[in-house]
Amino acid sequence: MIEVKPSDILVRYNVKLEKEMAPEEAAEELYPTEEPVRSIAKSIFEGEEDDVIEHLEKAIGAGKDPLDLITDLMAGMDVVSKLYDDGVIFLPNVMMSADAMLEGIDYCKSKSTKTHESKGKIVCHVAEGDVHDIGKNIVAALLRAGGYDVVDLGRDVPVEEVVEAVKKEKPIMVTGTALMTTTMFAFKQINDRLVESGIKVPFQCGGGAVNQDFVEQYELGVYGEEAGDAVKMADTIRKKGSKIDGLRDQFHQH
Ligand code: B12
C-alpha cells in the first residue's frame, strides 16, 4: 500500500497552510487604536454589557458628549460585522454584541442633556421581515437629539402599518432601514401605497442592503448612507422644502 503524506501533497499543489485565528486575536487587529473608542469597541465585541456602560460612564465623566459616543459604539459593531462576514464568529456572538450595542445606545440617549424643541415629526421603521434594528435606533436617537419628534414604529413593521402611521402622524419625513436584500422591497410597496393616497412625503432609506440605485427606483425615495444623513435631510426639508428632486440633488452622488 502506498503511504500518502499530506505534507507532500500540499507542497505539490502549493497550498499554504494558515493557522486559524481565534476570534479574539482577529478582533485585536481590527479595534481602533485610540481610547476610549478601543475599550468600548472591545466590550461590544465581547458582548459585555456592563463593561460597555462602565466605559461610556467614564468617557462621559471625562467630558465626552453622550451622542458622540454613539458613533464610537459603531466601531465595535464594525468589528462584529467584519468577522461575521468572514465566518470567524457566528450568530450567537453577534446577538450578544447586538444586545450590548443596544444597551449602549440606550445609555447614551439617557445621558444626553440636549433639550427637546420639536422641529417636526419623523416616522422611523425597519422593513417588514427584518429584525436588524441597530442602525434604525441610531437614526432615531440622532433625530431626537437633533430636536425632531420621532415616531419609532420598531422593526419588522408591516407595510400597511407604516402607511397608516404616515396618514395619522403627517410627518415631514419617513425613514426606512433594511439590512436584507429580501426585505428592502417593502420600501417600494410603501412608496406605491403612499403615492396612491396622494402623499408625497420624502422617504429616506438606508441600511446595509440598500443603495442609491435601488432607492431611485421609487418616486419618494432618497438614499441615506450614514445615520447622521437623516438629521441633515430633515434640516434641509425644513429650510428648503420637501421636493424629492431637490433632496436627491443634495444627497445623491451623481
Ligand atoms: C447584528 C446582525 C444581526 C443581529 C441583529 C440584531 C439587531 N437587533 O439588529 C441578529 C443576530 C438578530 C441577526 C439576525 C439575522 N441576520 Co444578521 N447581521 C447582523 C450584522 C452582523 C451586523 C448588522 C448591524 O447591526 N450593523 C451595524 C449597523 C449600525 O449598521 P446598519 O444597520 O447598516 O446602519 C448604518 C447605516 O446603514 C445607516 N442606516 C441604517 N438605516 C438607515 C436609515 C436612514 C434613513 C439613514 C439615513 C441611514 C441608515 O446608519 C447606520 C450607521 O451609520 C450583519 C453583517 C453586516 N455586514 O451588516 C448581518 C446581516 C445583516 N444578517 C444577515 C442575515 C442573513 C441574518 C439572518 C437571516 C441570519 C439567520 N440565518 O438567521 C437573521 C435575520 C432575521 C431577520 N428576519 O431579520 C445578512 C443579510 C444578507 C442579505 N444581504 O440579505 C448579513 C448582511 C450577514 C451576512 N453577510 O450574511 N443579524
Side-chain angles (χ1 to χ4, degrees):
M1 207 165 101
I2 307 165
E3 200 193 325
V4 179
K5 280 206 235 144
S7 56
D8 290 350
I9 299 171
L10 293 175
V11 168
R12 201 170 133 209
Y13 287 98
N14 198 20
V15 175
K16 192 175 158 223
L17 273 182
E18 279 182 42
K19 188 168 95 40
E20 252 183 45
M21 227 190 227
E24 298 74 23
E25 226 181 306
E28 276 303 329
E29 294 185 358
L30 299 172
Y31 296 138
T33 46
E34 74 281 15
E35 290 292 358
V37 201
R38 185 188 155 74
S39 301
I40 295 172
K42 190 166 189 287
S43 320
I44 296 265
F45 179 77
E46 290 167 353
E48 296 290 350
E49 297 174 10
D50 293 347
D51 291 353
V52 173
I53 305 298
E54 199 186 305
H55 291 305
L56 291 173
E57 208 173 357
K58 256 196 233 156
I60 292 168
K64 265 248 184 193
D65 181 328
L67 292 166
D68 290 344
L69 285 167
I70 293 185
T71 318
D72 295 347
L73 288 166
M74 279 185 321
M77 228 36 222
D78 286 346
V79 177
V80 175
S81 299
K82 167 89 177 72
L83 295 185
Y84 180 66
D85 289 348
D86 290 353
V88 178
I89 57 167
F90 301 97
L91 219 50
N93 312 74
V94 176
M95 287 168 86
M96 283 169 63
S97 298
D99 286 347
M101 170 87 188
L102 292 169
E103 283 262 335
I105 297 175
D106 278 350
Y107 181 77
C108 291
K109 275 195 311 197
S110 74
K111 292 290 162 188
S112 173
T113 48
K114 288 212 172 127
T115 46
H116 187 94
E117 18 113 11
S118 181
K119 296 204 290 199
K121 204 179 263 184
I122 296 175
V123 168
C124 298
H125 85 288
V126 177
E128 183 163 3
D130 205 321
V131 303
H132 297 92
D133 62 355
I134 297 176
K136 183 270 294 167
N137 289 344
I138 298 173
V139 167
L142 296 184
L143 282 169
R144 282 199 179 106
Y148 292 92
D149 195 0
V150 173
V151 180
D152 186 347
L153 302 179
R155 60 190 191 178
D156 183 12
V157 188
V159 168
E160 263 327 293
E161 198 178 316
V162 181
V163 174
E164 286 312 310
V166 174
K167 285 182 181 167
K168 180 168 167 252
E169 307 288 351
K170 300 186 177 44
I172 60 163
M173 166 176 143
V174 181
T175 78
T177 296
L179 269 87
M180 299 201 295
T181 39
T182 45
T183 58
M184 63 187 193
F185 295 96
F187 295 154
K188 178 150 188 343
Q189 293 176 39
I190 292 169
N191 172 86
D192 294 352
R193 294 278 296 105
L194 291 175
V195 173
E196 263 166 43
S197 311
I199 300 170
K200 294 273 174 81
V201 64
F203 183 18
Q204 193 184 36
C205 300
V210 183
N211 61 31
Q212 182 180 310
D213 287 345
F214 174 72
V215 174
E216 277 179 349
Q217 288 171 26
Y218 43 91
E219 198 179 325
L220 306 175
V222 186
Y223 178 57
E225 190 169 3
E226 293 295 326
D229 291 339
V231 183
K232 287 185 196 146
M233 195 167 108
D235 288 345
T236 306
I237 291 170
R238 273 166 50 87
K239 279 193 213 115
K240 298 188 184 162
S242 57
K243 278 219 150 57
I244 309 296
D245 285 349
L247 294 169
R248 284 184 180 175
D249 272 350
Q250 181 166 342
F251 288 91
H252 287 193
Q253 280 163 14
H254 304 283

